[in-house]
Amino acid sequence: MSRYQKWMLVTILIGLLIPQFATQTVVASAHTSKNATKSQSTTRSEKAEKVIYLTFDDGPTAHTMQLLDILDKYDAKATFFMLGPHMEQYQTATKRIVKEGNGLGLHGVTHVVKKFYNSPFSAYKEMRDANESLYEVAGVRTSLVRTPYGSKPYMKQGYRDVMLNQGGFHLWDWNVDSLDWKYKKDHQRVYKNIMSQVNSVEKRGTAPVVLMHDQPATLKVLPLVLETLKKDGYTFKILSKQNHPVNFWNDER
């Protein structure tokens, strides 16, 4: 084969390979770009998500079924810190709370300061007994607890050591107080309390944990609260042992 023929053969081969290589490069580049866009989109979505935790104390009650109906209407879940005797009295409501995937917490047995905080062991025993009530009624247990009237000033180090270390519980308070227990007839004030505090907490980059109560007065304002929060882009999630506990002692055990 002459030098000229060899040169022609090489030229033809190069001409055949260049388009194929270019196509593969474009496809690979497009695939990489698509993955990068997807990754950025996922990250942006996670950062943009606004999460809020609604919590209800003192239940279940004769009004819990109505409360759950309202939550269902707005496709919202909440965490219920329940009293042992109430779970036993309102078993249908307790079972529905569990069945519908709401968060489960304990609020003790007596809700009486002198009895609950009589000693570190008395506080722990009330939560343990409430957990047994939950298990007997619904077949589940939980490690989340909220002590009556909040953890300060009563749940000092010794109390927490027994409750959290020996008992294996996780202590929760709140960072948004609706004051629904105080302004039972002033629904607009309760609404403003919630929204102003939620906005303040959110600006600090913290997820709001809202304290409310399982009572008739709260049901009057709850639909408006849920409607506003949904319009503001909040996602309603439940508390679990995977969350870092929000409490007044900053005790993350």
Side-chain angles (χ1 to χ4, degrees):
M1 182 182 294
S2 68
R3 182 179 299 177
Y4 175 77
Q5 288 174 323
K6 289 181 180 180
W7 180 83
M8 286 297 294
L9 180 60
V10 171
T11 302
I12 292 170
L13 289 174
I14 292 173
L16 290 173
L17 290 174
I18 286 176
Q20 183 178 356
F21 176 76
T23 301
Q24 291 175 344
T25 303
V26 170
V27 170
S29 177
H31 181 69
T32 303
S33 176
K34 182 178 179 181
N35 283 346
T37 302
K38 182 178 180 181
S39 177
Q40 291 170 2
S41 175
T42 302
T43 303
R44 190 182 301 116
S45 175
E46 289 174 350
K47 288 182 178 180
E49 187 179 29
K50 296 168 65 175
V51 174
I52 191 166
Y53 300 94
L54 305 179
T55 69
F56 294 90
D57 285 8
D58 299 350
T61 69
H63 312 282
T64 303
M65 299 297 273
Q66 185 181 350
L67 193 163
L68 292 170
D69 287 342
I70 295 172
L71 290 174
D72 285 347
K73 181 179 178 181
Y74 291 90
D75 193 26
K77 301 296 181 186
T79 301
F80 290 80
F81 288 93
M82 299 176 284
L83 293 163
H86 289 195
M87 287 186 273
E88 295 175 10
Q89 182 178 357
Y90 300 101
Q91 295 192 17
T92 301
T94 304
K95 291 176 181 177
R96 182 179 171 187
I97 289 171
V98 174
K99 182 180 179 181
E100 295 186 354
N102 292 286
L104 307 175
L106 308 170
H107 203 38
V109 175
T110 64
H111 210 286
V112 176
V113 170
K114 289 184 179 180
K115 291 182 178 180
F116 185 92
Y117 297 105
N118 183 57
S119 71
F121 182 76
S122 66
Y124 159 69
K125 184 176 183 301
E126 284 211 17
M127 292 305 185
R128 186 190 65 188
D129 291 348
N131 220 4
E132 289 309 304
S133 294
L134 176 60
Y135 182 75
E136 290 174 9
V137 172
V140 294
R141 292 187 175 89
T142 182
S143 64
L144 276 59
V145 298
R146 174 176 286 162
T147 58
Y149 305 103
S151 67
K152 274 195 174 180
Y154 306 106
M155 288 294 291
K156 294 180 172 61
Q157 185 73 42
Y159 283 76
R160 300 199 309 280
D161 287 345
V162 173
M163 183 82 72
L164 309 183
N165 287 348
Q166 298 181 33
F169 290 112
H170 304 288
L171 180 63
W172 282 87
D173 287 307
W174 56 86
N175 53 29
V176 175
D177 189 348
S178 68
L179 296 179
D180 58 350
W181 58 270
K182 185 175 183 180
Y183 302 110
K184 293 184 178 182
K185 294 183 179 180
D186 193 345
H187 307 315
Q188 193 61 30
R189 185 160 187 174
V190 172
Y191 171 78
K192 289 180 179 179
N193 281 338
I194 294 173
M195 297 314 304
S196 63
Q197 292 178 52
V198 164
N199 292 334
S200 177
V201 170
E202 197 271 335
K203 287 179 180 178
R204 298 199 300 266
T206 304
V209 179
V210 185
L211 169 65
M212 291 180 281
H213 294 81
D214 188 340
Q215 61 181 13
T218 303
L219 301 184
K220 302 291 185 182
V221 71
L222 185 58
L224 179 59
V225 170
L226 293 173
E227 184 175 341
T228 303
L229 291 173
K230 283 185 76 75
K231 287 181 179 178
D232 287 349
Y234 279 99
T235 299
F236 304 99
K237 292 192 176 183
I238 63 172
L239 300 175
S240 72
K241 63 182 181 180
Q242 277 70 45
N243 296 103
H244 290 292
V246 172
N247 59 63
F248 302 144
W249 300 92
N250 295 319
D251 193 328
E252 294 190 356
R253 282 180 286 180

